[in-house]
Each structure stands twice: as structure tokens, then as C-alpha cells.
Amino acid sequence: MNDKKKKPQKLKARLPRGFVDRSAADIRAVDGMVAKIREVYERYGFDPVETPLFEYTDALGKFLPDSDRPNEGVFSLKDDDDQWMSLRYDLTAPLARHVAENFNEIQLPYRTFRAGWVFRNEKPGPGRFRQFMQFDADTVGAAGVQADAEMCMMMADTMEELGLKGQFVVRVNNRKVFDGVLDGIGLAGDDNAGRRLTVLRAIDKLDKFGLDGVKLLLGEGRKDESGDFTKGAGLGSDQIASVLAYLAQDGYEPTSDLYTQGMSELDQIEALVRAAGYAEDRIKIDPSVIRGLEYYTGPVFEAELTFPVTNEKGESVVFGSVGGGGRYDGLVSRFMGQPVPATGFSIGVSRLMTALKNLGKLGDDEVLAPVVVCVMDRDIEALGRYQRFTQALRHAGIRAEMYQGNKKNFGDQLKYADRRGAPLAIIQGGDERAQGLVQIKDLIEGKRLSGEIEDNATWREARVAQVSVPEAELVEKVREMLDAQRQDRDRAAG
């Protein structure tokens, strides 16, 4: 019998499907983009608020893909008091809960914005993640369409602030208009709520699948390239024809009061945005805008980028929607038992970042790597001295790090600094210490010279890449050398 213990199996490092690790460059790019969005929202008089990642599942309510199975569409768990909690699916339902819970303290109209992560327990795919960031702005307590018009104008201003002038359009429709279409084909009433939502989600895929794909989703369903089948709304041929005729603006106009009211509101929005100087190339009335969530009750809008990109198949396609929103007058009201009108807009931050990268409008801001202070001696006194140099640079506003690795070889430390992209290395050995000096090695200039110098004698003569200064002049000299490097970069860029 073999009593030899089995070697424990090594744990495999693996990223959950639909989630991504973010690099320093991506984080800085998003921070810069969010700062510009925030600046526009603040300019419009909106204030920040923050809600938690988790909400009670019933607060997210019937607007989830399937409320009977809390884990369908959302990530859920049971609290210690046996209540279902879910990671937030969007930022709108949590805001509705926040407003209802603090209604007596909130000044209406309540104008607020928030950025944060949302989670979808759905099948991931190319460019489709289970965790992504949204940036929302909402006005609660304003019933007039002027609040919806303002949302559209703010979205247009945001796109232009991000450098997308002439490369976007904010498209506007009214859910009442389309509800009038659905009433006209026999889908009115609570009994048809599920089918109406399926129809809405089918039409929301128009920019992705085209009219033929939407036609399949309105009927029996659609099979994608992977073989997965999406069940359709099960409409009859006449019903499908009416919906497609509406989308194509092919003369189909229901006579319902709801349809008439919706069209009147669209006329008012158009008049308001045109009066404020926003032409059709920036804000456009478009009957194909539906939005796939059921809670919208009036005007709905999407910000669509109009420039072409190459997809995973190598095809040139329009980038499409990077945000959307609309009026949701029933979302707060279900907590309150009284009408509370609301309208809002949500930007898909992660998707918008991809678009800006495609255009080369993001991630170009220079982030200088830290100056590296080399560690020549490792006794406490020497380490304290190196740390003092490092802190002096930091307190002067210069990025700096003292080498913390195990490599004692000076050459290995310089290799580390080079891989970090460090502009300078600070060196003090025994000889320099005895004289109260430090060496500053210009790693950028040194790299340039190494490509030009062919022999050791010439290298020894070219000492401009390394200078010696008194300890007291370290910060001043480092700042001077960094400024010289910056001027070189500016000249090269110009």
C-alpha cells in the first residue's frame, strides 16, 4: 500500500468569463473620460450621488429579464434574513429606490448623476461583458418634455466635449408612439406584457441584426452563428408587417390616442432643441429608437456614433450606440403610491472608451514613469538615505520610487528602471557618499546615445547622459533634466 501523500494540485489562475482585468493605461483613460463627462453634467447643474452595488432583488423588480428566477439576468444571493439581494443591473432602479427612501429630504426636481459598475448575468461575447461601467444623469420630479429635451442636449454636449463633434447623433423617439403601434396590432393590456417586452428587445437589436434579423425575432426566433437560438415574440405575419412598416416609415400610423400624444411630445422636443441651436445632425427624431427595458414610459433617446470601425470579421460597420435613456415615470412611483415623474440618460463608459480608442482620442495623455533611486548599499543607514532622496523628490511633486527588489547588481537595477520606462536613475555609492554627491543618470538620453556611439572611448567622452550634483541640489537638477526631456518630446512631436 502506498502511503505517500499526494502532492497538492496547483491552483489554476483563471479569469471568470465575461470579466476583464484593467491595465493602468485603461484606468487612466477611463478616469480622464469620466472627468470630462462629469464636467458637462456639473455645468448643467447636476450633483453626484452614490448607491451601493447590491439592492434587494424586489427593488429591481419586474424590470429584470425574469423576476421569478432571481439569478436569471442578475447575480443574486440570499441575505442572512433569507431575502434575495442582487448586484445592480443598471443605475436607474437603485436611484428610484434612493429617491423613494429619502423623498422627504430631497429637493424636487432632483438633478443627480453617478458613475459605477453594473452587472449582467448573461452570456458574454466579443465586446459584451458581465461587468461594465455606466455614467448616468437623471432629473426626478419634472414632468414636462423640456426635461427630456435637456437630456438630449446634455448628451450632445458630452459627446462634443469628448472630441466627437460631427461623429455622433442623438436619436429620439417616444415609447408612447410605439406603444400605440403595439396597441394597434392587438398587444394592449397586462396579458400581453411579456410579448410586448420581447418585441421591444427585438427592435432594440435593429442596428445589430438589421430588418431581416428583427423580423425573425418578431416571429418564431433567430439562431445566431454559434447555433444558439433566441426565442421570438411569436407575432403573426400581419402583425410583423405592421411593425416593420412603422420602423421603415412606410405609411403605417395607428389612430390611437397614445400614438397621437407621443407624436405631439416629439414635436415639442424637436422645437425645443432646434430653438437652442441643435440641428438634425446632432439631435434627430428617429422612429427606430425603442430601448429594450420595459420601464420607459415616454421619450427615449440614444447617442449613436456614426463613424465606421472594423469588426471582428474584418467588416466596416458603424460603431453604433454608446448610451441611451428616456422617461420612466413609473419607476419611483411604485415605491410611493403617488406619481413621481423622472427622466435620465446612461452612458456606457466601457463601450465609449473603446470608441475613443478607435479614433485615437483617448490614452494619449502622458504619464511619466517614476524616477528610480538605486540601492547600492543595504544597511539601514544607507537605506534611510536613499529613502530620504526618494521622499524629497515625491514632496516636490516628482514621481519617484526607491528600488525594492532583491537584485543587488547595479546593472540589473538599471535594467529594471529601463523596463519601467524611468526617465532618470539616482545613484549614490560609497565614493559619492563620502563627497556628499549623487549621480543622476539620464536613461532617455543614454538610450539615444547608445544607438549612436560605437566604441568605449567615445562613450566615456559622452558624459551628458550622467551628471554629478551635491545632495542638496538633487531635486532642482532632477526637475531641470525632466524639463529638458519634455522639451525634446515636444520638439519631436511638433
Side-chain angles (χ1 to χ4, degrees):
M1 186 175 178
N2 186 0
D3 293 330
K4 187 176 180 181
K5 289 185 178 179
K6 289 185 178 180
K7 186 177 180 180
Q9 194 171 19
K10 185 168 66 175
L11 184 64
K12 183 180 180 181
R14 61 203 189 280
L15 186 70
R17 287 194 319 127
F19 295 86
V20 294
D21 294 324
R22 298 198 302 150
S23 68
D26 280 350
I27 291 168
R28 289 185 177 116
V30 168
D31 287 348
M33 186 174 73
V34 165
K36 289 180 179 180
I37 299 171
R38 180 188 181 109
E39 183 182 340
V40 176
Y41 289 5
E42 292 266 15
R43 199 185 307 153
Y44 272 71
F46 288 75
D47 293 313
V49 72
E50 188 172 297
T51 60
L53 294 177
F54 272 96
E55 295 282 344
Y56 284 117
T57 304
D58 60 3
L60 304 180
K62 67 175 183 177
F63 307 108
L64 295 175
D66 187 343
S67 60
D68 293 330
R69 291 182 293 155
N71 281 312
E72 183 70 18
V74 294
F75 294 97
S76 301
L77 54 84
K78 274 195 173 182
D79 197 358
D80 54 7
D81 60 358
D82 213 34
Q83 293 192 68
W84 277 105
M85 299 172 63
S86 299
L87 284 170
R88 60 192 181 195
Y89 186 80
D90 64 7
L91 298 178
T92 307
L95 176 70
R97 187 271 311 155
H98 169 77
V99 169
E101 198 168 9
N102 300 279
F103 197 75
N104 292 330
E105 289 76 41
I106 285 174
Q107 174 67 46
L108 295 180
Y110 183 46
R111 297 160 65 82
T112 182
F113 67 83
R114 59 230 167 273
W117 296 105
V118 297
F119 303 85
R120 305 280 171 91
N121 188 4
E122 298 170 347
K123 181 181 177 182
R128 186 180 180 88
F129 302 105
R130 287 172 163 171
Q131 175 185 335
F132 52 95
M133 183 179 288
Q134 292 183 337
F135 200 151
D136 286 19
D138 295 81
T139 299
V140 180
V145 293
Q146 64 268 24
D148 304 292
E150 184 183 63
M151 284 291 165
C152 298
M153 291 185 281
M154 186 165 72
M155 277 312 309
D157 288 357
T158 301
M159 295 296 108
E160 293 183 355
E161 184 72 25
L162 292 167
L164 293 166
K165 188 171 184 177
Q167 296 176 299
F168 76 92
V169 63
V170 177
R171 302 185 301 127
V172 190
N173 195 14
N174 196 320
R175 182 61 68 79
K176 292 176 183 175
V177 170
F178 193 68
D179 284 347
V181 173
L182 295 182
D183 287 358
I185 62 172
L187 291 185
D190 292 341
D191 292 346
N192 288 304
R195 293 180 77 194
R196 281 201 305 272
L197 185 56
T198 305
V199 172
L200 290 173
R201 289 183 174 157
I203 296 169
D204 201 33
K205 300 291 192 298
L206 181 62
D207 60 340
K208 187 175 181 180
F209 299 144
L211 279 173
D212 289 341
V214 170
K215 184 176 181 179
L216 292 173
L217 290 172
L218 292 174
E220 295 306 311
R222 177 184 180 275
K223 184 181 289 189
D224 64 21
E225 293 174 353
S226 69
D228 285 351
F229 183 77
T230 302
K231 186 179 178 182
L235 300 186
S237 57
D238 290 344
Q239 292 173 309
I240 294 173
S242 295
V243 173
L244 295 181
Y246 162 74
L247 292 176
Q249 290 292 278
D250 193 19
Y252 177 74
E253 289 193 13
T255 56
S256 73
D257 291 341
L258 200 57
Y259 181 90
T260 304
Q261 183 184 352
M263 290 302 296
S264 174
E265 289 177 359
L266 284 178
D267 290 341
Q268 293 174 54
I269 290 174
E270 184 167 29
L272 288 167
V273 299
R274 299 291 179 262
Y278 294 78
E280 192 174 7
D281 61 343
R282 296 163 78 192
I283 300 176
K284 177 183 179 181
I285 305 300
D286 186 336
S288 69
V289 178
I290 297 297
R291 305 296 296 161
L293 292 172
E294 192 183 357
Y295 54 58
Y296 292 119
T297 59
V300 288
F301 18 86
E302 283 191 347
E304 181 181 273
L305 303 188
T306 54
F307 62 88
V309 295
T310 302
N311 65 13
E312 54 268 18
K313 301 176 187 175
E315 302 165 334
S316 181
V317 296
V318 173
F319 193 91
S321 175
V322 291
R327 179 160 289 278
Y328 53 96
D329 288 349
L331 204 52
V332 181
S333 304
R334 65 198 178 97
F335 293 101
M336 302 290 298
Q338 66 184 73
V340 183
T343 186
F345 206 106
S346 178
I347 294 176
V349 173
S350 306
R351 181 165 170 78
L352 183 53
M353 184 182 78
T354 301
L356 293 172
K357 278 185 173 180
N358 266 279
L359 289 173
K361 296 180 181 290
L362 201 63
D364 293 334
D365 294 341
E366 182 182 53
V367 178
L368 199 63
V371 172
V372 172
V373 177
C374 296
V375 174
M376 312 299 287
D377 303 303
R378 292 178 178 266
D379 58 90
I380 290 298
E381 182 186 352
L383 290 172
R385 189 167 50 252
Y386 300 140
Q387 192 70 67
R388 187 177 73 244
F389 297 156
T390 309
Q391 295 305 109
L393 293 168
R394 289 168 174 166
H395 293 156
I398 297 167
R399 287 192 81 197
E401 65 173 88
M402 184 176 84
Y403 180 73
Q404 301 288 355
N406 295 322
K407 300 284 188 182
K408 297 182 180 180
N409 182 287
F410 174 55
D412 287 335
Q413 294 190 37
L414 288 184
K415 287 179 183 176
Y416 166 81
D418 185 57
R419 286 194 298 269
R420 284 280 276 143
L424 304 171
I426 310 301
I427 306 154
Q428 188 189 65
D431 293 342
E432 290 89 5
R433 183 170 68 253
Q435 300 173 65
L437 301 173
V438 287
Q439 296 281 343
I440 307 174
K441 189 173 184 65
D442 187 331
L443 299 176
I444 307 299
E445 180 71 0
K447 188 180 294 185
R448 184 184 69 78
L449 289 172
S450 68
E452 299 177 359
I453 297 173
E454 297 179 355
D455 58 74
N456 289 338
T458 312
W459 175 258
R460 283 192 294 272
E461 292 174 6
R463 297 297 290 171
V464 292
Q466 188 163 314
V467 297
S468 180
V469 298
E471 290 182 7
E473 297 175 16
L474 171 64
V475 171
E476 182 182 351
K477 188 62 179 178
V478 165
R479 187 178 279 126
E480 177 188 316
M481 293 174 73
L482 290 175
D483 188 55
Q485 289 179 354
R486 181 187 56 76
Q487 291 179 35
D488 284 345
R489 288 192 299 273
D490 290 345
R491 279 193 293 271

